[in-house]
Amino acid sequence: MKRLFSMALLPIILGGCAATLPAEVSSLGDPANSTSGIRSTQYRSPISGYTHREPTGPKAWGPLNDAQSTAKGDAS
């Protein structure tokens, strides 16, 4: 158990000795710059592309399966 703990601690200790700092993670612009990548906030309706469809009754599965098939015959 002590050996496993020391092996897990080794990368943490060596990481503290790194010569360079990590790259900046934040991609945000300067807060003082008022034009830094602000997108427009226009309203779009969440149901704008809605198309009303009526339910249909059950049909025989054979012709429907054949209509959706890409090739005639065995597909395997």
Side-chain angles (χ1 to χ4, degrees):
M1 183 70 179
K2 290 180 183 180
R3 187 175 189 180
L4 180 63
F5 180 71
S6 63
M7 294 306 280
L9 192 60
L10 184 64
I12 296 172
I13 292 171
L14 292 177
C17 299
T20 60
L21 295 174
E24 187 175 330
V25 176
S26 176
S27 64
L28 299 175
D30 183 17
N33 185 2
S34 64
T35 61
S36 60
I38 298 174
R39 297 186 305 189
S40 64
T41 56
Q42 296 176 349
Y43 176 75
R44 291 188 316 174
S45 174
I47 58 170
S48 62
Y50 174 72
T51 308
H52 180 70
R53 296 185 179 103
E54 290 290 326
T56 60
K59 296 181 181 178
W61 65 270
L64 292 174
N65 193 26
D66 291 339
Q68 293 180 2
S69 175
T70 58
K72 299 293 180 187
D74 189 14
S76 58

